[in-house]
Amino acid sequence: MDRREELIKLIDNDESLVPLVDEMIYLEGQLDYLRTLPKIVVHPKDPTKQKTTVAAKQYKEFLQQYVNIVRTLKRATDDDTEENESPLRAWAKKRNAGQI
């Protein structure tokens, strides 16, 4: 099973989320490539002078987009029932209800 099929299965084949899956796969490839490139350039005569490369800036931007997609997909596929509720959410509900 390839990555796309794996992700499509995780989103229960929801057609509205397929473009996000495709974007996620694209970003994974770009991040893998950018990881291989240098992130800083050191001045040849003064090693204390350094600057970030375009690849480093691009990596940071792509990583943020990737994280946002992961969060969106997680939120869209989370089962928000009582039995799957996080301990923090359960505590907050009890507190708001005056039980704590």
Side-chain angles (χ1 to χ4, degrees):
M1 177 182 320
D2 71 350
R3 180 71 170 147
R4 187 173 194 279
E5 291 172 353
E6 177 185 351
L7 292 172
I8 295 292
K9 184 178 176 185
L10 287 174
I11 63 168
D12 293 328
N13 213 11
D14 184 343
E15 290 297 318
S16 65
L17 298 176
V18 171
L20 282 177
V21 167
D22 292 336
E23 191 66 23
M24 184 176 182
I25 293 167
Y26 169 77
L27 288 171
E28 286 174 352
Q30 293 299 309
L31 288 168
D32 287 342
Y33 171 69
L34 290 170
R35 241 181 249 119
T36 65
L37 300 176
K39 306 297 183 284
I40 60 169
V41 176
V42 180
H43 192 279
K45 294 181 181 175
D46 186 1
T48 62
K49 293 182 181 176
Q50 301 174 358
K51 67 178 185 177
T52 59
T53 64
V54 174
K57 294 174 187 174
Q58 194 75 51
Y59 183 85
K60 182 180 174 185
E61 290 174 18
F62 282 174
L63 185 60
Q64 185 59 50
Q65 291 174 10
Y66 184 80
V67 168
N68 290 339
I69 290 172
V70 169
R71 285 182 184 155
T72 302
L73 290 176
K74 179 160 176 34
R75 221 176 297 125
T77 58
D78 262 355
D79 187 9
D80 215 10
T81 61
E82 290 288 326
E83 56 216 31
N84 291 331
E85 188 171 57
S86 73
L88 177 61
R89 191 171 286 171
W91 175 83
K93 280 185 178 179
K94 284 181 185 176
R95 181 177 171 91
N96 287 339
Q99 296 177 358
I100 292 181

